[in-house]
Amino acid sequence: MVVVLFIYSMSFKVVDLMNIKPILGYGLQPILKGFSAGQLSFFGIELVLFLYGMTDKKLNINKGVLLGCFIPVGMYVLTYILVVSTLTIDEVTSVTWPTISFIQSFEVQGIFVERLELFLLVTWILQFFTTHMLYFYFAAKSMTHVFHNRFSTNLIILVPLIFLLANYAKDLGDVFIFSDLLGFAFPVVLIILPFATFFVYGLERRMRT
């Protein structure tokens, strides 16, 4: 976050807030249309369900969960304002990676590296590994609870599955298709699946009593 905020602070000289006006000029309909694509940015919040189940019940993690949710929201809002204010809406919709194009749109004189997109890419790579680590751990842990086998065995089983999924995308179009599928899966994993699980658990508990 320190690296990203530093890069953003260097971009103020090229930011023009007039490019984001008029705000809500076309009403709420464009925002609702972009909901399916925007929700993919928050994919991962369902890990909170796993954290609640694997954390000491005496530990109050509600504040940590709220902080962990609001920080990304603030960063996304800030990123959106800066990128659109610099590139304009027309250019944002025409480039593949608007944030990278935004960082490449300005140079910083007087430091050892004038182009700052390298630092942004480094932080993104760290985020990729961190996200993979969490999902990999929780997937293996969940399989251990479901199939009652060893945790290390599930780690070995997941490796070829992850490899096959990683090689699914042959080009950028396949990457976007895979992203759309994840976007549709997001409400299922976050809302429908937990309620279905609670219903089955409650029904099973009632049958036992």
Side-chain angles (χ1 to χ4, degrees), residues 2 4 45 85 104 181 201:
V2 172
V4 173
I45 196 175
S85 298
Q104 293 174 341
L181 293 177
Y201 175 75

Side-chain angles (χ1 to χ4, degrees), residues 50-207:
F50 293 88
L51 292 174
Y52 270 106
M54 298 181 181
T55 307
D56 187 0
K57 299 300 185 297
K58 298 180 182 179
L59 182 63
N60 185 8
I61 64 173
N62 293 332
K63 293 182 180 179
V65 169
L66 292 176
L67 186 64
C69 292
F70 282 121
I71 288 178
V73 171
M75 293 296 292
Y76 276 121
V77 172
L78 178 62
T79 302
Y80 176 83
I81 293 176
L82 293 178
V83 172
V84 176
S85 298
T86 302
L87 302 181
T88 72
I89 295 178
D90 294 334
E91 186 173 353
V92 167
T93 56
S94 62
V95 296
T96 305
W97 310 114
T99 307
I100 297 294
S101 300
F102 159 66
I103 302 299
Q104 293 174 341
S105 65
F106 63 92
E107 295 181 356
V108 180
Q109 304 291 336
I111 62 176
F112 63 97
V113 177
E114 296 182 355
R115 304 298 295 270
L116 300 178
E117 64 267 18
L118 174 63
F119 297 102
L120 184 65
L121 292 174
V122 169
T123 61
W124 276 1
I125 292 174
L126 293 176
Q127 292 178 34
F128 296 154
F129 277 105
T130 304
T131 304
H132 169 73
M133 177 190 67
L134 289 173
Y135 276 104
F136 193 41
Y137 173 79
F138 284 131
K141 197 72 174 178
S142 301
M143 292 174 64
T144 302
H145 286 289
V146 173
F147 300 108
H148 303 288
N149 56 352
R150 297 178 59 183
F151 179 77
S152 58
T153 302
N154 293 325
L155 292 177
I156 298 174
I157 293 174
L158 287 172
V159 168
L161 294 178
I162 295 174
F163 178 80
L164 293 175
L165 287 174
N167 284 273
Y168 168 78
K170 303 302 181 182
D171 52 30
L172 191 59
D174 291 339
V175 173
F176 288 144
I177 293 175
F178 200 69
S179 299
D180 293 338
L181 293 177
L182 290 177
F184 289 121
F186 179 75
V188 176
V189 174
L190 184 62
I191 301 175
I192 299 177
L193 189 59
F195 279 103
T197 304
F198 293 150
F199 175 76
V200 172
Y201 175 75
L203 185 62
E204 182 181 8
R205 187 175 182 181
R206 178 173 296 183
M207 292 176 62

